[in-house]
Amino acid sequence: MVEKFYYPNPAHTAQAAIKNMDEYHALMTEAREDYEGFWARYAREKIDWFKPFDSVLDDSNAPFYRWFDGGQLNIAHQCVDRHLLTRKNKAAIIFEGDNGDQRILTYRELANEVNKTANLLKNRFEVVKGDRVVLYMPMIPEAAVMMLACAKIGAIHSVVFGGFSAEALRDRIVDAEAKLIVTADGAFRKGQPYMLKPIVDEALSRDCEAVRYVCVVERNGEEVEWKAGRDYSYNELIKSESARCDAAIMESEDPLFLLYTSGSTGKPKGVQHSSAGYILWAQMTMEWVFDLKENDTYWCTADVGWITGHTYIVYGPLAAGATTVMFEGVPTFPDAGRCWKMIEEYQVNQFYTAPTAIRLLHKMGEHEPQKYDMSSLRILGTVGEPIDPPAWRWYHEKIGGGDCAIVDTYWQTETGGHVISPLPFATPVRPSCATFPLPGIMAEVIDKEGHPTPAGEQGYLCITKPWPSMIRTIWGDQERFVKSYFGDCAKEGKPVYFSGDGAVIDAEGYITITGRTDDVINVSGHRMGTAEVESAIKKHPQVAAVAVVGKPHPIKGEGIFAYVVMKGEDTISEEIELVQEINAVIKKEIGAIALCDSMIFVPDLPKTRSGKIMRRILRALAKGEEITQDISTLEDPSIVDKIKNCCKGAGMH
Ligand code: WTA
């Protein structure tokens, strides 16, 4: 079915940051004709420089690109301090807790909290410029305060999502050689307290020699262990810190943060972002894609542990001087109308969430939206995975009342901010299509040699020119950085950034993302490396071999499907316990987010004679599809039928 177009709501076009497609094309042309001039113009306009930059783009050591060299700035100054002149009493962060408690921090209060915390980091925890600080935090304002406090003194933060296990947390602490861990006793979820500090204790039980201190924010008041000389209460220490703190003078290319993400091999990658280029694009996309206005209330439901939480809860909104909502709870508690209730109460103007949440809320509370007045909404956003047309339409009609713009924003941890997205009041959109590259972003659908793929045919989604907010390197592994992103595609003989996603472009230039071309699956909008899950499963002593693939899932987008080969002669009667045991191993190694949706035990995996697992066959079998491809190259072609029978036996199809 060809989807119809939805046109921008004319009521908002006149005031929009980008008002129509002519303006969009004019910006694109400007960027094409004078790429450096385009970015220099915005960098001068948007950033409050301590010292202006000398050069725009340095590509002499490609792909280690440098932007705005010579420039000096501070990201906490850009996001907080500079707003004190014009917005000191404006709400910067509106926080709502799981149980409905509320806290509002004005820009002035936020500035004070950031300064006190920055002083604490410096004076009490001996953190200096360039040190790594791991944040393992719930969704409370202190998470944002900590990020900004690191930025204020030039420390590099690495936020680890609170759903990761002690093992996964330890890996990230060790890789970054963090000196300080900031956590909370725990927080609240669905009306109940849950714990984080014990997980930090377990993570630190070995291999974390670089860690000197643990700073604990007391949120849920539950009992935790305190290790003398290592663990300190934030709430106690912060009382005696001064609310004055000078901003560290940072160079444009000084790293702002690391954020670990999954790749196609086992070890997560520490994606390193810069200061100036990152904040510039975070702020610009906030203004363009969310069409931010001074009095708006903006809400993104992501977790600060992911890139969306970094760029579109903390850095983008605050750089742009917005009011950003932060929510500790889950969208289904106390019922599936929680988000809609909050939209009514705070008169939210922009709401940004993941397709998984939309599908879940549709399924669990179809009639909830009509109970609330959501007429304040102007823009709805989605991120993290493709949105299917039924979910898009429900979002459009029931949440947006049929007249909100929907921005299907395509981007990645590595891109720092949106790269392909509709402009809310300019771009005619079709459900499930991310539409056009944003002005300044040279995203193209090409083959491996850089030729544009014909309309309607799948190609590789590449960005053929460096852009300010791009990943700078993988922490501690330059070679992997080059190989992961610049090893597959080239244009005019020069390596270009390949996203790992496939895409199709149509005759009008609309780009539709078709999904990962590598062994990364997307579960509820979270990136999961199949190799990562496989290496966790292999830690179970009875597992001989395993292959993990993605399988379409009605709510999560993709679910994890594991084919497991056991050692020896294990009997079917043990299977239920084995599934539980293997899931327990996954929970320990990675966290509950990587639990398998389906697990079947098979006699062997489909391997070629050279020993390579043919995942395409496993993907097709997981979906219940017939195998149409040639299986004669398999070492043992009869294995396909055997696996099929196992699937049938397990009641899969
Ligand atoms: C996928 C999240 C389709 C894509 C910001 C990408 C999407 C990965 C979209 C990055 C979208 C993100 N439509 N797919 N609008 N947005 N993706 O690093 O496969 O957690 O490579 O960043 O999510 O996930 P990440």
Side-chain angles (χ1 to χ4, degrees):
M1 185 177 90
V2 176
E3 294 282 343
K4 70 166 187 173
F5 278 98
Y6 290 76
Y7 291 89
N9 182 342
H12 303 303
T13 50
Q15 301 84 36
I18 298 179
K19 298 177 180 56
N20 50 54
M21 289 310 278
D22 288 345
E23 285 193 10
Y24 164 75
H25 289 300
L27 286 167
M28 258 310 194
T29 306
E30 181 190 342
R32 260 193 214 104
E33 286 174 357
D34 179 10
Y35 195 63
E36 293 194 19
F38 172 89
W39 287 112
R41 173 163 83 84
Y42 282 106
R44 276 189 206 107
E45 197 180 297
K46 302 289 176 191
I47 294 180
D48 196 7
W49 296 98
F50 295 163
K51 175 177 165 290
F53 50 91
D54 305 317
S55 65
V56 183
L57 167 63
D58 174 357
D59 57 5
S60 58
N61 190 25
F64 299 94
Y65 299 102
R66 300 178 65 86
W67 284 89
F68 312 120
D69 262 338
Q72 292 179 335
L73 75 171
N74 181 282
I75 300 304
H77 172 83
Q78 179 74 11
C79 291
V80 187
D81 301 348
R82 75 185 179 109
H83 299 308
L84 297 179
L85 283 176
T86 51
R87 305 184 169 109
K88 66 176 183 292
N89 292 317
K90 174 175 175 173
I93 297 176
I94 297 180
F95 168 74
E96 180 162 313
D98 178 69
N99 54 16
D101 54 328
Q102 292 170 4
R103 209 175 132 197
I104 296 178
L105 284 171
T106 62
Y107 273 94
R108 180 182 54 79
E109 289 166 321
L110 180 61
N112 289 346
E113 294 306 310
V114 169
N115 285 352
K116 284 196 246 171
T117 306
N119 284 326
L120 179 66
L121 296 183
K122 252 193 320 202
N123 303 335
R124 189 67 200 72
F125 298 123
E126 300 157 19
V127 177
V128 299
K129 188 170 164 174
D131 279 349
R132 274 79 58 208
V133 177
V134 163
L135 310 183
Y136 189 65
M137 299 280 283
M139 282 290 292
I140 54 176
E142 285 79 2
V145 168
M146 279 293 169
M147 291 162 78
L148 292 161
C150 287
K152 186 105 197 198
I153 62 171
I156 303 169
H157 62 69
S158 168
V159 183
V160 178
F161 173 59
F164 279 118
S165 69
E167 301 287 324
L169 172 61
R170 179 190 303 128
D171 288 345
R172 288 157 176 78
I173 293 171
V174 170
D175 191 73
E177 295 175 274
K179 188 177 196 177
L180 168 70
I181 314 297
V182 183
T183 187
D185 42 8
F188 297 96
R189 189 189 296 124
K190 295 189 182 179
Q192 300 296 324
Y194 71 92
M195 302 305 288
L196 289 170
K197 171 68 165 52
I199 301 173
V200 173
D201 291 336
E202 198 188 327
L204 297 183
S205 63
R206 61 180 168 87
D207 302 339
C208 296
E209 288 79 23
V211 175
R212 302 244 295 269
Y213 300 108
V214 177
C215 173
V216 184
V217 178
E218 293 176 66
R219 164 66 183 150
N220 66 14
E222 297 290 307
E223 191 95 3
V224 293
E225 278 176 29
W226 297 91
K227 188 167 173 196
R230 188 195 72 180
D231 302 349
Y232 294 88
S233 161
Y234 174 78
N235 309 50
E236 280 305 312
L237 295 181
I238 201 70
K239 289 181 197 153
S240 49
E241 292 297 341
S242 150
R244 293 178 59 158
C245 176
D246 288 335
I249 300 198
M250 305 302 288
E251 306 294 326
S252 292
E253 281 296 330
D254 280 338
L256 178 62
F257 65 83
L258 311 179
L259 186 58
Y260 284 81
T261 189
S262 295
S264 42
T265 58
K267 199 170 167 255
K269 307 184 270 200
V271 171
Q272 181 183 318
H273 277 288
S274 71
S275 294
Y278 171 81
I279 205 68
L280 174 64
W281 193 234
Q283 184 177 331
M284 284 172 70
T285 48
M286 209 43 226
E287 294 172 0
W288 281 349
V289 176
F290 293 118
D291 196 51
L292 190 76
K293 298 286 178 271
E294 190 59 49
N295 198 35
D296 281 347
T297 301
Y298 160 90
W299 180 19
C300 165
T301 67
D303 189 283
V304 286
W306 308 113
I307 190 69
T308 307
H310 283 59
T311 309
Y312 296 110
I313 294 179
V314 180
Y315 287 115
L318 296 177
T323 298
T324 179
V325 176
M326 220 177 156
F327 176 45
E328 177 188 38
V330 296
T332 50
F333 178 81
D335 57 47
R338 180 71 180 265
C339 294
W340 322 138
K341 181 167 181 279
M342 285 176 63
I343 289 172
E344 176 181 272
E345 180 166 356
Y346 298 114
Q347 298 185 24
V348 170
N349 303 98
Q350 296 93 345
F351 179 68
Y352 191 28
T353 195
T356 295
I358 298 166
R359 289 189 291 262
L360 181 73
L361 294 176
H362 183 187
K363 184 166 169 235
M364 290 188 59
E366 192 175 353
H367 303 294
E368 290 294 333
Q370 68 212 37
K371 297 183 190 161
Y372 302 97
D373 174 3
M374 293 189 272
S375 56
S376 57
L377 286 172
R378 214 163 71 237
I379 297 171
L380 299 171
T382 71
V383 57
E385 50 178 323
I387 175 163
D388 47 298
W392 195 98
R393 283 193 289 266
W394 187 73
Y395 200 34
H396 185 254
E397 282 156 33
K398 301 296 184 229
I399 309 307
D403 60 9
C404 285
I406 296 197
V407 288
D408 175 353
T409 62
Y410 167 83
W411 61 297
Q412 309 178 290
T413 304
E414 293 85 346
T415 66
H418 304 147
V419 285
I420 301 179
S421 170
L423 294 162
F425 302 118
T427 315
V429 301
R430 262 192 331 239
S432 314
C433 176
T435 76
F436 302 107
L438 288 170
I441 302 293
M442 301 303 164
E444 295 184 60
V445 184
I446 55 179
D447 63 19
K448 291 201 166 173
E449 286 74 46
H451 309 112
T453 43
E457 272 177 37
Q458 179 162 320
Y460 298 98
L461 181 61
C462 293
I463 306 180
T464 55
K465 265 178 181 288
W467 67 105
S469 68
M470 70 191 293
I471 173 176
R472 291 304 192 266
T473 188
I474 291 172
W475 181 257
D477 201 342
Q478 308 224 336
E479 213 174 295
R480 190 173 177 202
F481 164 70
V482 178
K483 211 167 146 256
S484 304
Y485 303 107
F486 296 89
D488 291 305
C489 298
K491 191 180 168 183
E492 287 151 15
K494 280 211 305 226
V496 293
Y497 176 87
F498 171 45
S499 62
D501 286 300
V504 172
I505 187 161
D506 74 7
E508 280 92 47
Y510 277 81
I511 296 174
T512 301
I513 313 299
T514 53
R516 305 286 310 189
T517 62
D518 52 11
D519 291 322
V520 172
I521 51 186
N522 197 326
V523 184
S524 304
H526 301 150
R527 257 162 84 168
M528 201 68 65
T530 53
E532 223 173 313
V533 182
E534 287 165 4
S535 62
I537 295 178
K538 278 185 202 144
K539 299 222 162 129
H540 187 289
Q542 281 164 274
V543 170
V546 56
V548 164
V549 297
K551 176 188 173 177
H553 184 284
I555 302 289
K556 299 179 182 180
E558 273 188 294
I560 301 179
F561 191 114
Y563 295 90
V564 184
V565 184
M566 303 303 291
K567 287 179 189 159
E569 298 289 309
D570 290 301
T571 58
I572 301 291
S573 63
E574 288 174 326
E575 276 190 11
I576 293 171
E577 289 99 89
L578 277 173
V579 169
Q580 282 170 354
E581 279 175 36
I582 292 174
N583 269 327
V585 175
I586 296 173
K587 209 166 163 186
K588 175 164 179 284
E589 295 294 321
I590 305 174
I593 49 171
L595 291 180
C596 293
D597 295 278
S598 321
M599 197 183 297
I600 63 161
F601 297 95
V602 292
D604 204 351
L605 298 171
K607 279 187 241 140
T608 60
R609 280 182 203 101
S610 58
K612 196 169 170 318
I613 297 171
M614 290 194 64
R615 283 165 189 283
R616 268 180 301 142
I617 293 178
L618 294 174
R619 267 184 229 122
L621 288 173
K623 286 188 206 157
E625 289 173 1
E626 278 311 310
I627 304 295
T628 50
Q629 56 197 299
D630 178 20
I631 55 170
S632 62
T633 55
L634 290 179
E635 194 181 19
D636 169 18
S638 74
I639 191 67
V640 175
D641 279 334
K642 289 184 194 152
I643 295 177
K644 238 192 231 167
N645 286 336
C646 294
C647 290
K648 274 204 197 107
M652 295 288 179
H653 306 300

